[in-house]
């Protein structure tokens, strides 16, 4: 199949979260299955192709992108490849929209005021690019609200275009909280006609909701875990779109993300102080000591809890903040890495001042430190309010940091709860995110570490042998694409 995947971020070029991991990895595995996959994303300022030492060239010097009443805007397109693959990736270069240091927000964390136009432009540019390249896709694969206009365009403005005659579309929901809700004047920029501004398609309480338009128009839909696919049909997780999603429940699947086991392998990981495997765990103790030194904590044999996250509402960081002083009354250490909402950047450094021997937090983004936290930690905290898939718990399982998770979405699907009678399980789960449930579960893990070390070690070995591979996910997407195509033709 010929597949055009459109997204706002992709590893290694630009990343704020797991979406970039998916778009950087999935196409490579689809290509290995024999498909012609190509990726389209913006060329942000941080996409420095020359400095990455990757081959690149300008493939379309001038691409016209109609933007409704704004008229036609002209961009250029660069082509490069996803590393360690032949997968072409196209970068839409349009300085006015993408010539910025950050992807979605300004330095204060406020969303850019023109994000609606920036991502409608990306979606439309992808359509125009396929035409310019004479690339006749079987599948247009959109991801999240940023590119949810792609299925809308396919069904409307490009319905009779020979390039898209046989194309079906797939929309992957990585996160229902962000929907691309804007002033209804955006209809004039989309240019599909106001007849599509109705309660089934793009209209949402008098505003335009791009994700809703995509949900209506995509041939088939998926989320990144089976659990989340069920959850988003309920008010607690649907963020107002649960009804729309229920209407399409028969067309919605859950396909779990994978991780790259070449990159995330404690047996070979060059970023670690020592390597280890489930058969020989000694190196993990060395990694733990190295982590304590690196984070400025005393080297002591106490349970170390790691956390790596965006510090936002989704991730439940506020609940952890509410109990952190009480947690640190236990003989444990907590190590955090992340950035996000401003209060967290004030709050956690103060915790460090109060508990310098037990708590350390690095604010910011640090790809390499993630590996060392996973390797050095005994436990890994993920108190997410909702988690469509989650990647860190998968890294944690592989690195023997037992995940402690709120049993939602992908966290519930990938972690098996500890049973203290027989010692089975791969982590610790709680149902219902409250301060008490989080405190009690961390207390339970701490108790187990001190009193049932044989259970902890067995769980570590068990978790390290679990596999959530991209190859399995790619097979799921292949089936989804085939079904979408059959549906479209029928
Ligand atoms: P989300 O996409 O909601 O943020 P995921 O668990 O799917 O959640 O993916 C997050 C990805 O971003 C993981 O690869 C994680 O390691 C990475 N990440 C998050 N915060 C940081 C950080 N501060 N430094 C480095 N990597 C980070
Ligand atoms: C989103 C979700 C996360 C998921 C990622 C990749 O950012 O929050 O759970 O793993 O997308 O699909």
């Amino acid at each position: 199949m010929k597949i055009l995947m459109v997204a706002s971020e992709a590893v290694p070029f630009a990343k704020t979260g797991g979406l970039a991991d998916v778009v950087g990895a999935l196409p490579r595995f689809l290509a290995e299955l024999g498909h012609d996959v190509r990726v389209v994303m913006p060329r942000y300022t941080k996409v420095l192709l020359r400095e990455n030492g990757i081959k690149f060239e300008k493939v379309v010097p001038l691409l016209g992108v109609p933007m409704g009443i704004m008229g036609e805007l002209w961009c250029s397109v660069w082509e490069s490849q996803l590393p360690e693959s032949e997968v072409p990736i196209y970068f839409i270069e349009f300085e006015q929209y993408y010539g910025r240091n950050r992807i979605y927000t300004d330095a204060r964390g406020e969303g850019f005021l023109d994000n609606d136009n920036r991502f409608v432009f990306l979606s439309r540019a992808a359509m125009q690019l396929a035409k310019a390249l004479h690339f006749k896709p079987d599948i247009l694969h959109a991801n999240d609200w940023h590119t949810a206009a792609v299925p809308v365009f396919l069904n409307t403005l490009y319905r009779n275009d020979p390039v898209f005659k046989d194309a079906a579309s797939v929309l992957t929901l990585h996160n229902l909280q962000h929907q691309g809700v804007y002033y209804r004047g955006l209809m004039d920029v989309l240019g599909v006609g106001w007849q599509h501004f109705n309660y089934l398609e793009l209209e949402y309480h008098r505003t335009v909701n791009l994700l809703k338009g995509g949900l209506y128009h995509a041939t088939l839909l998926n989320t990144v875990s089976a659990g989340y696919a069920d959850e988003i049909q309920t008010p607690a997780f649907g963020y107002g779109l649960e009804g729309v999603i229920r209407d399409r429940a028969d067309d919605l699947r859950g396909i779990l993300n994978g991780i790259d086991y070449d990159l995330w392998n404690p047996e070979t990981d060059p970023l670690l102080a020592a390597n280890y495997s489930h058969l020989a765990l000694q190196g993990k103790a060395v990694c733990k000591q190295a982590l304590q030194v690196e984070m400025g904590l005393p080297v002591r044999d106490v349970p170390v809890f790691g956390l790596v996250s965006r510090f936002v509402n989704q991730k439940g960081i506020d609940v952890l903040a509410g109990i952190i002083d009480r947690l640190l009354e236990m003989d444990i250490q907590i190590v955090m890495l992340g950035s996000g909402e401003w209060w967290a950047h004030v709050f956690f450094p103060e915790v460090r001042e109060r508990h310098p021997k037990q708590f350390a937090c690095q604010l910011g983004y640090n790809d390499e430190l993630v590996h060392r936290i996973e390797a050095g930690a005994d436990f890994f905290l993920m108190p997410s309010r909702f988690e469509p898939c989650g990647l860190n718990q998968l890294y944690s399982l592989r690195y023997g940091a037992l995940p402690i998770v709120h049993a939602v979405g992908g966290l519930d699907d990938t972690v098996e709860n500890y049973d203290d009678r027989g010692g089975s399980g791969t982590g610790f789960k709680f149902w219902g995110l409250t301060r008490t449930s989080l405190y009690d579960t961390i207390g339970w893990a701490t108790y187990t570490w001190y009193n049932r070390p044989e259970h902890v070690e067995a769980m570590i070995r068990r978790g390290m042998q679990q596999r959530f591979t991209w190859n399995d996910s790619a097979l799921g997407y292949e089936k989804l694409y085939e079904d979408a195509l059959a549906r479209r033709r029928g």
Side-chain angles (χ1 to χ4, degrees):
M1 281 178 276
K2 291 201 175 95
I3 301 148
L4 193 65
M5 198 176 294
V6 196
S8 55
E9 48 184 280
V11 163
F13 303 103
K15 166 169 169 176
T16 66
L19 172 60
D21 291 302
V22 175
V23 181
L26 176 60
R28 292 192 348 239
F29 289 84
L30 288 165
E32 277 177 22
L33 294 177
H35 301 294
D36 178 356
V37 200
R38 310 185 183 195
V39 181
V40 184
M41 69 171 279
R43 184 174 183 186
Y44 307 107
T45 302
K46 65 167 74 170
V47 178
L48 297 172
L49 299 174
R50 200 185 305 270
E51 289 180 15
N52 275 330
I54 303 170
K55 183 183 110 191
F56 67 102
E57 60 174 328
K58 194 176 257 187
V59 278
V60 185
L62 268 184
L63 182 72
V65 181
M67 287 284 279
I69 49 163
M70 295 169 75
E72 193 161 30
L73 304 182
W74 295 86
C75 62
S76 35
V77 183
W78 295 82
E79 176 176 348
S80 182
Q81 282 171 342
L82 286 181
E84 287 165 54
S85 78
E86 308 264 288
V87 174
I89 174 162
Y90 301 104
F91 295 98
I92 308 296
E93 182 173 78
F94 189 65
E95 283 305 290
Q96 219 174 302
Y97 284 161
Y98 308 128
R100 306 179 193 178
N101 284 324
R102 300 168 62 97
I103 301 185
Y104 309 114
T105 59
D106 62 22
R108 295 205 328 273
E110 302 280 338
F112 292 126
L113 291 177
D114 57 353
N115 272 348
D116 48 355
N117 291 347
R118 293 173 78 223
F119 292 108
V120 166
F121 183 82
L122 171 64
S123 306
R124 191 78 194 257
M127 306 298 287
Q128 294 292 94
L129 177 62
K131 283 167 67 86
L133 296 173
H134 306 290
F135 180 74
K136 286 177 88 171
D138 295 300
I139 298 292
L140 286 164
H141 185 164
N143 293 275
D144 277 351
W145 75 264
H146 322 100
T147 50
V150 166
V152 180
F153 287 143
L154 177 65
N155 278 1
T156 55
L157 301 171
Y158 295 83
R159 191 70 211 102
N160 298 314
D161 192 306
V163 167
F164 298 103
K165 199 164 53 76
D166 298 317
S169 61
V170 162
L171 174 63
T172 300
L173 305 166
H174 300 264
N175 194 322
L176 246 281
Q177 192 176 24
H178 305 287
Q179 303 177 354
V181 176
Y182 294 102
Y183 171 60
R184 59 187 178 280
L186 186 60
M187 286 306 295
D188 286 328
V189 177
L190 281 163
V192 294
W194 281 87
Q195 68 272 29
H196 297 284
F197 189 70
N198 62 62
Y199 78 102
L200 289 172
E201 298 180 63
L202 285 153
E203 192 263 345
Y204 183 77
H205 305 293
R206 305 287 292 147
T207 62
V208 167
N209 184 321
L210 291 170
L211 192 65
K212 184 176 172 185
L215 284 169
Y216 180 82
H217 280 283
T219 315
L220 289 179
L221 308 166
N222 82 296
T223 70
V224 286
S225 68
Y228 193 60
D230 290 338
E231 287 168 351
I232 57 176
Q233 299 180 40
T234 67
F237 295 93
Y239 283 92
L241 290 183
E242 58 275 7
V244 180
I245 293 166
R246 268 201 308 275
D247 280 348
R248 297 217 56 193
D250 291 343
D251 303 332
L252 170 66
R253 300 190 188 163
I255 304 175
L256 204 63
N257 292 330
I259 65 172
D260 185 338
Y261 285 95
D262 292 331
L263 209 64
W264 295 94
N265 182 356
E267 292 173 42
T268 54
D269 192 333
L271 299 166
L272 307 185
N275 291 112
Y276 59 95
S277 71
H278 71 279
L279 297 172
L281 283 170
Q282 303 85 328
K284 184 155 172 79
V286 179
C287 293
K288 177 167 167 178
Q289 292 176 1
L291 178 66
Q292 289 169 321
V293 172
E294 179 172 3
M295 299 303 286
L297 293 169
V299 175
R300 291 184 56 221
D301 198 20
V302 294
V304 172
F305 294 78
L307 182 150
V308 178
S309 187
R310 295 182 288 120
F311 292 167
V312 297
N313 167 278
Q314 176 188 343
K315 301 296 179 179
I317 304 298
D318 51 317
V319 181
L320 179 67
I323 57 171
I324 200 139
D325 287 296
R326 209 147 65 80
L327 280 175
L328 292 170
E329 287 170 16
M330 295 190 261
D331 200 6
I332 63 172
Q333 294 177 346
I334 299 179
V335 171
M336 289 177 53
L337 165 67
S339 64
E341 289 167 8
W342 67 269
W343 66 266
H345 293 226
V346 180
F347 181 86
F348 289 110
E350 286 176 4
V351 178
R352 166 77 181 180
E353 279 176 26
R354 288 199 293 278
H355 306 276
K357 296 191 171 146
Q358 284 183 278
F359 181 83
C361 177
Q362 192 180 106
L363 294 173
Y365 195 85
N366 187 335
D367 276 328
E368 300 188 349
L369 183 56
V370 183
H371 290 245
R372 294 194 288 268
I373 292 179
E374 298 285 6
D378 298 293
F379 300 100
F380 195 91
L381 298 172
M382 293 188 76
S384 307
R385 286 204 158 71
F386 67 96
E387 196 62 80
C389 177
L391 298 173
N392 280 304
Q393 84 278 14
L394 303 182
Y395 304 149
S396 301
L397 288 168
R398 183 68 187 103
Y399 279 62
L402 298 178
I404 297 178
V405 303
H406 180 203
V408 287
L411 298 176
D412 195 24
D413 287 0
T414 57
V415 177
E416 189 200 328
N417 200 19
Y418 171 52
D419 182 336
D420 47 17
R421 287 159 303 183
S424 63
T426 57
F428 296 81
K429 287 191 186 179
F430 55 93
W431 283 261
L433 175 64
T434 63
R435 292 180 191 184
T436 311
S437 62
L438 181 59
Y439 178 86
D440 287 349
T441 310
I442 294 174
W444 181 32
T446 304
Y447 176 88
T448 308
W449 190 90
Y450 277 109
N451 299 295
R452 311 297 286 275
E454 69 289 356
H455 281 182
V456 168
E457 195 179 309
M459 273 199 281
I460 290 175
R461 292 186 203 276
R462 200 176 296 129
M464 288 181 71
Q465 294 175 74
Q466 305 253 308
R467 290 293 179 274
F468 300 91
T469 67
W470 272 119
N471 193 50
D472 287 344
S473 316
L475 291 170
Y477 281 97
E478 182 177 63
K479 181 82 175 56
L480 179 71
Y481 296 157
E482 280 166 359
D483 293 350
L485 209 51
R487 170 83 64 94
R488 190 65 166 199
R489 290 196 174 126

